[in-house]
Amino acid sequence: MRRTRHLLAGLALTAGLLAGAVPATAAPTAAPTPDAPMATTAVASSYTWKNVRIDGGGFVPGIVFNRAEKDLVYARTDIGGVYRWNQAGSSWTPLLDSVDWDHWGHTGVVGLASDTVDPDRVYAAVGTYTNDWDPGNGAVLRSADRGATWQRTDLPFKLGGNMPGRGMGERLAVDPHKNSVLYLGAPSGNGLWRSTDSGATWSKVTTFTNPGDFQQDPADTSGYNSDEQGIVWVTFDESTGTAGTATRTIYVGVGDKENAVYRSTDAGATWTRLPGQPTGYLAHKGVLDAANGHLYLAYSDRAGPYDGGKGQVWRYATATGEWKNISPVAEADTFHGFSGLTVDRQKPGTVMVSGYSAWWPDTQIFRSTDSGSTWTKAWDYTSYPTRANRYTMDVSSVPWLSWGANPAPPEQTPKLGWMTEALEIDPFDSNRMMYGTGATIYGTQELTKWDTGTNFTIRPMVKGLEETAVLDLASPPSGAPLISALGDIGGFRHTDLTTVPSMMFTSPNFTSTTSLDYAETNPNTVVRSGNLDGGPRVAFSTDNGANWFAGQEPSGVTGGGTVAAAADGSRFVWSPDGTAGVHTATGYGTAWTASTGIPAGATVESDRVDPKTFYGFKDGTFYASTDGGASFTARATGLPAKGNARFKAVPGKKGDIWFAGGATDATYGLWHSTDGGAGFTRASGVEQADTIGFGKAAPGATYPALYTSAKIGGVRGVFRSTDAGASWVRINDDAHQWGWTGGAITGDPRVYGRVYVSTNGRGIIYGDTTETGGGDGGTDPTDPPDPTDPPAPTGACKVAYKVTNQWQGGFQADVTLTNTSTTAWTGWKLGWEYPAGQRIGQMWNATPAQTGSAVTARNVGWNGPVAAGASASFGFTGTWAGTNPVPAAFTLGGATCSVA
């Protein structure tokens, strides 16, 4: 459905990500850095941070089940970090939110390994680009508490979590018998690397001499497609080792079409090319069925994840050396490569593989129960173009996965998938399978119905995994609290921040929405611009973004650029990509007139009071128009001419403008103008700033609260000012940094303290504060009163508190609150004290707050009403040190509940 994930690489250049580079090292080994601990104590305890729910939205190239502990599952994303599966909540917990601005590239994950000897240990190989889009080197992160905290070892080379070939793997592997030994396959000619101290230090395996020479496109001068894929997977044969002794036989996949598979039989001391192997293809995956002595290999003629026109599947007998082509279809009939390889550990001989690059009409998944001798397909033709599916797609939990499409057969919606390079059968449950696509994780818990010819259901298994790249945000004064512009999936109108919207923007459906705006005094009027092959690339709404219609566009438009709506919605100014230049239109884009006095490619915004005043900026010069965008005049100069540049006008104050931008090797900071851009004054103390947004004024204040992603006082973070920029307070903390947050930011004009923060791969984050006037639970404030903030319930209550999972330093708990009175509740807020310093982490189905040892959990909108005799449940993760006793008492509305 979408093929544009690789275009997000451009953010590294266009969005000014070159700030804060990680120094490269030239040493042949990699050692821990002095700042290895990544998680620190929060410094903004009044704020809680959550994702605006979209569920998915990006490519999931890797899913890893731990083979020693049931339900311990991890997922890696190409730009959005690592997640751990939460079985109780059927959701994912993000694990790399502590990645800071200076190491933003570490949100790209190219390899993931879960330790079977010590399941508390997990490892991630991180780094987003191997070319100069990412100035920093890669690293290996290691955790002894399932990703709650991490330590980092910097590498002397780059890694490419968002590069071609990122769906191959896994490149990172832990020895299943001697877990202090790990291997890492490196790109760019850097070869195979090994650690013998649980990932703390790394050195190159000098006896492994083939670093891999395959390049997607050797002629690509950007370095993106011309980089060498390198070593692409490592697989241990667990049958050749015993506990505490290094596994003797190891297989390694190499990005070399003539020499794709190597083996060591002496625990990695020496290596040989596996004799008799097929040539002419890349081995995307190598999965070993030790019970039957079979190494399965999925081959493609390209590195993926987008391309691949031919492929094969082979089986290697580890005892005899026999190779057998077990391809599900003849090579002549393939139009895709193979990847997504998995075996059923409960039923040796059952193997599955995906045709990952079968874009049209759909991806294909193949299954064999006889070690690849025969295969069945997830779907087939009865008579073209009619399809018979073995499965039913149920996307009711994430309805936008249908894309609002109505395709002609044989294409269907929702699709089975695309870019399906991650495909895994649960090693403890033959019925459960998960697979990644370009937009979500799908799965089933009825997989064995496949073998009986019974239809089984596939559903999204993606709750909590938020992977969108956010390009623009708007929070109007009425209507929906949030309207977003996103890469790859266009954007959404959120009427409830805690609910997945039914559909992204359609009519038209942009591949990426690059800019959006609403009319300040008429918020039902909304405009957006974006990218779409062939256009149209501008769209309008007259109902606050609920429905859209396309506008016309001038000649020369190649992309969305930026767009602005007049304060009253009477006209629009558009600065698209391409040669068209800046244009203005009255009405809804039926006829555009070229603006004068402003260069093509300028960023445009509107004054929030005067409908005829618009502003523009490019290359250090600020422009203004007082005739509705027909003509612009240069006003201020001396602003940053290099790097990021974003500015906004303050609602309700004509000519009041804030400007953020710059680059580390040039002018960089935050500026303020009160005369329509004729003059700007630099905000003192703000060393760097990349975004600026406005929210509801603090109690007693008249000027809107300001929000920025900036460096102030030597500290990078998200900051708020309630006194027009005279002073700033950091409102995020070191555990909530989300890598790069320089795309967009806005406060909420209706909820004091609420702020929406853009990320590049972790979706939309929003923060609420416990300060006076703070958050209301996430729903549209124009709706009826929210049941998350009710009068305190009265009557009896009972609480069941259960620790469902515990590991060193961390735990997971479920709480059930029962209304034992005779009166229904309209909402609830449960409180307790922790006796041993425990701290709440992420909570689901309730909103947490913690001050010292005191914790409260308040209902979310949908589970506030609790009938007499009924219950409400929620869960959370937390941290502990020393002991983790259960709270002795719980209170509701000042009354003590009984404890089950």
Side-chain angles (χ1 to χ4, degrees):
M1 190 78 72
R2 284 290 179 267
R3 304 183 67 137
T4 59
R5 191 68 175 171
H6 64 293
L7 296 181
L8 295 180
L11 287 173
L13 296 177
T14 62
L17 295 188
L18 299 183
V22 180
T25 62
T29 60
T33 55
D35 61 342
M38 294 176 62
T40 61
T41 303
V43 297
S45 59
S46 74
Y47 264 84
T48 57
W49 299 95
K50 301 178 184 178
N51 269 106
V52 176
R53 277 196 68 187
I54 294 169
D55 285 14
F59 180 39
V60 180
I63 300 170
V64 174
F65 281 80
N66 186 282
R67 290 175 57 186
E69 181 176 318
K70 182 176 173 60
D71 297 327
L72 180 55
V73 193
Y74 296 91
R76 64 177 172 93
T77 66
D78 54 3
I79 62 173
V82 174
Y83 292 79
R84 185 183 64 244
W85 178 250
N86 162 36
Q87 180 65 21
S90 297
S91 62
W92 297 91
T93 299
L95 301 179
L96 292 187
D97 285 358
S98 59
V99 172
D100 62 18
W101 177 279
D102 288 343
H103 299 91
W104 64 266
H106 292 176
T107 60
V109 187
V110 75
L112 186 62
S114 180
D115 191 338
T116 57
V117 176
D118 180 0
D120 286 343
R121 294 185 178 274
V122 63
Y123 302 85
V126 297
T128 302
Y129 301 106
T130 60
N131 60 355
D132 60 6
W133 294 348
D134 185 343
N137 280 348
V140 175
L141 308 181
R142 62 191 188 278
S143 173
D145 54 13
R146 304 177 185 232
T149 60
W150 298 88
Q151 290 181 299
R152 188 183 80 236
T153 296
D154 287 336
L155 298 168
F157 50 82
K158 296 173 184 286
L159 294 177
N162 199 32
M163 294 291 288
R166 59 193 181 273
M168 297 193 281
E170 290 292 317
R171 289 171 167 85
L172 185 63
V174 185
D175 192 313
H177 296 298
K178 190 174 184 179
N179 66 332
S180 59
V181 175
L182 294 92
Y183 285 86
L184 170 66
S188 315
N190 289 300
L192 182 66
W193 286 64
R194 178 168 52 211
S195 171
T196 58
D197 55 7
S198 299
T201 61
W202 292 82
S203 59
K204 189 172 184 178
V205 181
T206 56
T207 56
F208 196 99
T209 57
N210 184 357
D213 62 358
F214 179 79
Q215 302 165 288
Q216 288 280 74
D217 179 6
D220 178 16
T221 58
S222 75
Y224 182 74
N225 285 300
S226 57
D227 187 41
E228 294 173 343
Q229 299 292 306
I231 313 301
V232 297
W233 51 262
V234 179
T235 297
F236 291 92
D237 184 347
E238 66 266 28
S239 69
T240 64
T242 57
T245 303
T247 302
R248 295 194 306 275
T249 300
I250 312 166
Y251 296 91
V252 170
V254 180
D256 180 343
K257 287 188 174 184
E258 303 306 310
N259 309 282
V261 186
Y262 286 75
R263 178 177 61 188
S264 173
T265 58
D266 52 13
T270 61
W271 302 83
T272 58
R273 178 186 183 274
L274 207 58
Q277 65 182 274
T279 59
Y281 290 96
L282 297 171
H284 275 226
K285 308 278 185 180
V287 176
L288 187 78
D289 174 4
N292 287 320
H294 290 151
L295 175 67
Y296 295 97
L297 297 120
Y299 288 92
S300 175
D301 60 350
R302 303 290 290 169
Y306 309 100
D307 53 3
K310 292 292 179 182
Q312 296 178 351
V313 180
W314 284 76
R315 186 183 70 207
Y316 174 75
T318 59
T320 65
E322 177 194 20
W323 285 92
K324 186 174 180 61
N325 187 337
I326 58 168
S327 300
V329 292
E331 182 184 37
D333 296 329
T334 60
F335 57 95
H336 54 76
F338 291 100
S339 192
L341 183 65
T342 185
V343 298
D344 188 340
R345 304 293 174 183
Q346 297 293 313
K347 297 181 178 180
T350 295
V351 58
M352 298 180 70
V353 69
S354 69
Y356 76 95
S357 52
W359 284 88
W360 189 94
D362 209 340
T363 201
Q364 184 61 274
I365 300 175
F366 305 88
R367 179 175 171 90
S368 172
T369 56
D370 54 12
S371 301
S373 296
T374 61
W375 297 85
T376 51
K377 299 178 181 179
W379 62 270
D380 212 338
Y381 293 111
T382 52
S383 59
Y384 185 87
T386 304
R387 280 170 52 175
N389 298 336
R390 292 180 180 271
Y391 60 88
T392 297
M393 299 292 292
D394 176 6
V395 297
S396 56
S397 64
V398 191
W400 60 261
L401 284 167
S402 72
W403 248 266
N406 186 28
E411 197 171 10
Q412 298 177 350
T413 189
K415 281 179 172 283
L416 181 61
W418 61 98
M419 296 162 56
T420 50
E421 295 217 64
L423 173 70
E424 296 293 334
I425 300 172
D426 186 335
F428 294 91
D429 184 355
S430 298
N431 269 309
R432 181 159 72 170
M433 171 187 70
M434 295 183 184
Y435 67 96
T437 77
T440 193
I441 294 177
Y442 279 125
T444 183
Q445 300 187 85
E446 306 171 330
L447 182 58
T448 57
K449 287 184 177 181
W450 181 312
D451 303 325
T452 64
T454 306
N455 193 272
F456 61 94
T457 302
I458 294 175
R459 294 182 173 91
M461 290 185 175
V462 73
K463 181 181 178 183
L465 195 156
E466 299 286 349
E467 205 198 343
T468 50
V470 185
L471 306 181
D472 203 359
L473 295 169
S475 183
S478 63
L482 184 68
I483 304 173
S484 59
L486 306 177
D488 285 353
I489 59 174
F492 294 91
R493 177 182 188 263
H494 271 87
T495 58
D496 186 335
L497 306 179
T498 65
T499 301
V500 178
S502 60
M503 193 54 57
M504 71 276 285
F505 301 143
T506 59
S507 302
N509 188 335
F510 298 149
T511 52
S512 293
T513 299
T514 57
S515 176
L516 62 86
D517 195 16
Y518 63 90
E520 187 66 40
T521 62
N522 181 19
N524 280 335
T525 298
V526 189
V527 61
R528 61 185 168 97
S529 59
N531 301 330
L532 182 63
D533 292 342
R537 283 158 283 216
V538 65
F540 302 87
S541 172
T542 58
D543 56 8
N544 194 242
N547 297 280
W548 296 85
F549 55 91
Q552 302 295 317
E553 61 182 47
S555 60
V557 175
T558 60
T562 58
V563 68
D568 62 359
S570 60
R571 65 182 64 236
F572 305 90
V573 171
W574 185 21
S575 178
D577 294 338
T579 60
V582 178
H583 279 67
T584 183
T586 56
Y588 298 106
T590 54
W592 294 92
T593 301
S595 304
T596 61
I598 187 170
T603 300
V604 295
E605 296 282 356
S606 66
D607 190 86
R608 310 314 281 179
V609 176
D610 184 350
K612 289 191 175 182
T613 297
F614 289 83
Y615 306 110
F617 173 82
K618 188 176 183 183
D619 296 336
T621 300
F622 196 85
Y623 301 84
S625 169
T626 57
D627 57 7
S631 61
F632 283 80
T633 302
R635 289 194 174 178
T637 58
L639 293 168
K642 183 179 180 181
N644 236 2
R646 290 178 175 82
F647 66 92
K648 287 185 179 180
V650 178
K653 298 184 180 295
K654 182 179 178 180
D656 196 325
I657 304 159
W658 288 84
F659 179 103
T664 55
D665 60 350
T667 306
Y668 205 171
L670 181 68
W671 288 262
H672 185 208
S673 173
T674 57
D675 56 9
F680 281 87
T681 301
R682 181 164 183 165
S684 62
V686 180
E687 298 143 66
Q688 303 172 5
D690 291 85
T691 60
I692 188 67
F694 316 110
K696 185 177 181 179
T702 59
Y703 199 84
L706 304 179
Y707 298 92
T708 181
S709 174
K711 184 177 182 180
I712 300 176
V715 177
R716 254 288 170 182
V718 178
F719 291 85
R720 184 190 69 199
S721 174
T722 57
D723 55 10
S727 63
W728 298 87
V729 59
R730 185 187 180 203
I731 58 175
N732 73 318
D733 53 71
D734 287 354
H736 299 90
Q737 302 191 77
W738 314 290
W740 188 73
T741 54
I745 197 169
T746 184
D748 191 308
R750 294 169 280 185
V751 182
Y752 167 67
R754 179 173 294 170
V755 59
Y756 304 98
V757 180
S758 69
T759 73
N760 183 36
R762 267 288 285 124
I764 308 166
I765 304 291
Y766 73 101
D768 276 325
T769 180
T770 56
E771 300 167 36
T772 303
D776 71 346
T779 57
D780 185 343
T782 64
D783 290 342
D786 193 323
T788 63
D789 195 15
T794 58
C797 52
K798 181 173 68 176
V799 173
Y801 178 106
K802 182 180 180 182
V803 175
T804 58
N805 196 4
Q806 183 168 304
W807 55 95
Q808 183 61 43
F811 71 100
Q812 180 177 307
D814 288 341
V815 179
T816 300
L817 171 63
T818 302
N819 181 357
T820 56
S821 72
T822 58
T823 305
W825 301 339
T826 58
W828 47 266
K829 186 176 181 180
L830 185 68
W832 67 88
E833 294 271 347
Y834 270 130
Q838 299 100 315
R839 299 291 301 179
I840 295 294
Q842 182 170 3
M843 185 173 286
W844 49 94
N845 299 333
T847 301
Q850 182 168 6
T851 302
S853 61
V855 178
T856 60
R858 186 179 61 185
N859 67 278
V860 292
W862 61 267
N863 65 357
V866 182
S871 300
S873 297
F874 60 93
F876 59 90
T877 57
T879 59
W880 62 279
T883 60
N884 185 25
V886 172
F890 297 85
T891 59
L892 187 75
T896 301
C897 300
S898 62
V899 179

